[in-house]
Amino acid sequence: MVQLTIVGREGAETHIEADAGLTLMEAIREAGFDELQAMCGGSCSCATCHVFLEEGFDAFPAADEDEDDLLDSSDYRRANSRLSCQVALAKAQGALRVVIAPED
């Protein structure tokens, strides 16, 4: 299990556990965070699952070109921005703190 702290758009923090092998998007949606729209269902064709990885960012490979292009479409992009559908959770990654980005 991967330990996640999810911070919603209103600032409320929720601690959840997710199975390794899920994407971050799947884990957040399964935990009931409807504010993470994920309109494309995880196919990396929108940016509605945009998050900020506040802890654990370096544990993941860099965004590929498609993800990078989609993140460029956001007014809220930061150095720690990722599309949660592109972040695969692994047991070895330990705890993560994730903030759901504002809606564009």
Side-chain angles (χ1 to χ4, degrees), residues 56-74:
F57 185 79
D58 295 335
F60 299 98
D64 67 15
E65 187 176 339
D66 291 336
E67 180 182 0
D68 193 53
D69 287 345
L70 287 167
L71 286 168
D72 276 344
S73 70
S74 174

Side-chain angles (χ1 to χ4, degrees), residues 3-24:
Q3 304 296 316
L4 301 171
T5 300
I6 309 299
V7 182
R9 290 192 179 122
E10 300 297 320
E13 291 189 14
T14 303
H15 302 281
I16 65 170
E17 290 186 345
D19 292 325
L22 291 177
T23 66
L24 183 55

Side-chain angles (χ1 to χ4, degrees), residues 35-59:
E35 62 193 291
L36 189 83
Q37 294 179 353
M39 293 176 69
C40 72
S43 64
C44 195
S45 62
C46 72
T48 60
C49 69
H50 182 192
V51 297
F52 307 122
L53 295 181
E54 298 218 328
E55 292 175 13
F57 185 79
D58 295 335

Side-chain angles (χ1 to χ4, degrees), residues 1-2 18-24 26-27 85 87-93:
M1 297 298 272
V2 179
D19 292 325
L22 291 177
T23 66
L24 183 55
E26 291 168 326
C85 69
V87 177
L89 299 176
K91 190 174 186 175
Q93 288 160 323

